[in-house]
Amino acid sequence: MWEVRLGLYCTREQAEEIRERIGRLLCPDPEHAPPCPVPWSVSLRGSGPGSVEDAGGEGDVAEDYPELVEQAHIEQPWQRGRRE
């Protein structure tokens, strides 16, 4: 079994759209008869108000991707504090 992780500095709506796109890549025909040829799962974990972590989830996602947060602060200084 393999796990692929993807860190994104974006809004919840953008993250949900990307999750849907990944799902369509893994299973382009959601109406097919089960099971999928390659079993898969996709989930969404976030930081900030309204996220799973805000409700006592698995920890702060920003701590997993410090270089991504730093990059976002450098490239998008107007969004500082938005997703932390």
Side-chain angles (χ1 to χ4, degrees):
M1 185 164 134
W2 291 88
E3 178 180 29
V4 177
R5 291 185 179 210
L6 174 64
L8 302 167
Y9 195 91
C10 63
T11 66
R12 180 177 187 85
E13 292 79 20
Q14 290 169 323
E16 289 173 352
E17 172 62 26
I18 291 168
R19 178 179 59 181
E20 290 298 318
R21 288 182 184 197
I22 291 170
R24 287 191 301 268
L25 282 172
L26 296 171
C27 185
D29 180 14
E31 303 299 321
H32 73 81
C36 279
V38 176
W40 62 276
S41 174
V42 65
S43 62
L44 185 60
R45 212 178 112 206
S47 294
S51 69
V52 172
E53 283 65 29
D54 214 31
E58 299 178 22
D60 190 0
V61 174
E63 292 176 4
D64 294 343
Y65 296 96
E67 69 285 346
L68 181 59
V69 173
E70 180 181 7
Q71 177 187 353
H73 286 179
I74 292 167
E75 295 177 3
Q76 304 170 351
W78 63 91
Q79 295 188 21
R80 201 166 276 162
R82 180 174 162 206
R83 295 290 308 144
E84 294 178 44

